Every structure is written in C-alpha cells, then in structure tokens.
C-alpha cells in the first residue's frame, strides 16, 4: 500500500510523455525530416527507459538483499535517487529548449521562401 502513490504518479507521467515527445520533435524539425525526428525522439525515450531500469535495478537489488533492508525502504531510497537524477536532467533540458530569440525563423521554415 505504501507504493501506491508513487506508482500512480509514475503511471500518470508515463502516460503523458509518449504522445507528446514525437509530436514536439516533428513540430520543430524540418518538414522533410519530421518522421526521422519523431523516430529518434521515440528511440531516445525507449533507450532512456531501458538504461533507467538497469541503473536503478542494480542498486535496488543490492539494497534489498536478504538481511540488508526492508523492500519498501530500498524502493524509497532508489526512487529518491532516480527523482534527483530526473530533476538534474530536467533543469538543463528546460534551459536548452527555451527559445531565446523570438525573431528567429522556426526550424521548419526556409529562408527566402514565402508560404502561399
């Protein structure tokens, strides 16, 4: 029962990201490469999930070994570290993705070409 709030939050986040990430990549890519951008974004998400599972799974197995700690304590400790890593990755992502030049053309536009 102690894990239910964390699992609900994880499920909500996992349900919101998959449809948004590829569409954001398509929106900001050159139209001729929109499909490639969406595929790369989706692949990066899958690789991140696999690496996150591996990186968090190793310490969890070590922390929850018989006689070391209670299962829920180990889950909480590994979850806290994972949350800190996610926050550390989110900060530079927000900074890097922020649009600083409002007058710059959008990535999909072509200079000198006017749309009908």
């Amino acid at each position: 029962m102690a894990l239910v709030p964390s699992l609900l939050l994880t499920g909500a986040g996992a349900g919101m990201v998959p449809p948004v990430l590829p569409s954001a990549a398509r929106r900001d890519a050159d139209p001729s490469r929109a499909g490639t951008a969406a595929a790369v974004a989706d692949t990066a998400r899958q690789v991140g999930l696999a690496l996150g599972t591996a990186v968090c799974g190793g310490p969890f197995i070590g922390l929850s070994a018989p006689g070391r700690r209670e299962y829920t304590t180990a889950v909480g400790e590994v979850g806290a570290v994972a949350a800190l890593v996610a926050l550390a990755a989110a900060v530079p992502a927000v900074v890097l993705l922020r649009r600083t030049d409002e007058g710059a053309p959008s990535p999909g536009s072509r200079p000198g070409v006017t749309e009908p």
Side-chain angles (χ1 to χ4, degrees):
M1 193 62 149
L3 297 176
V4 171
S6 300
L7 293 174
L8 288 173
L9 184 61
T10 302
M16 287 188 279
V17 171
V20 175
L21 187 64
S23 64
R26 280 192 304 271
R27 180 195 67 218
D28 290 339
D30 182 75
S32 66
R33 298 185 181 186
T36 302
V40 169
D42 197 42
T43 300
R45 182 181 59 85
Q46 294 290 344
V47 169
L49 286 169
L51 285 174
T53 301
V55 168
C56 290
F60 174 73
I61 295 299
L63 288 172
S64 65
R68 306 258 348 246
R69 288 193 174 97
E70 190 176 317
Y71 179 82
T72 53
T73 304
V75 168
E77 291 172 355
V78 172
V81 170
L84 289 173
V85 170
L87 183 61
V91 171
V94 168
V95 170
L96 291 172
L97 294 175
R98 180 177 278 165
R99 293 179 190 230
T100 57
D101 188 4
E102 295 295 327
S106 65
S109 66
R110 291 175 283 180
V113 177
T114 57
E115 298 293 327

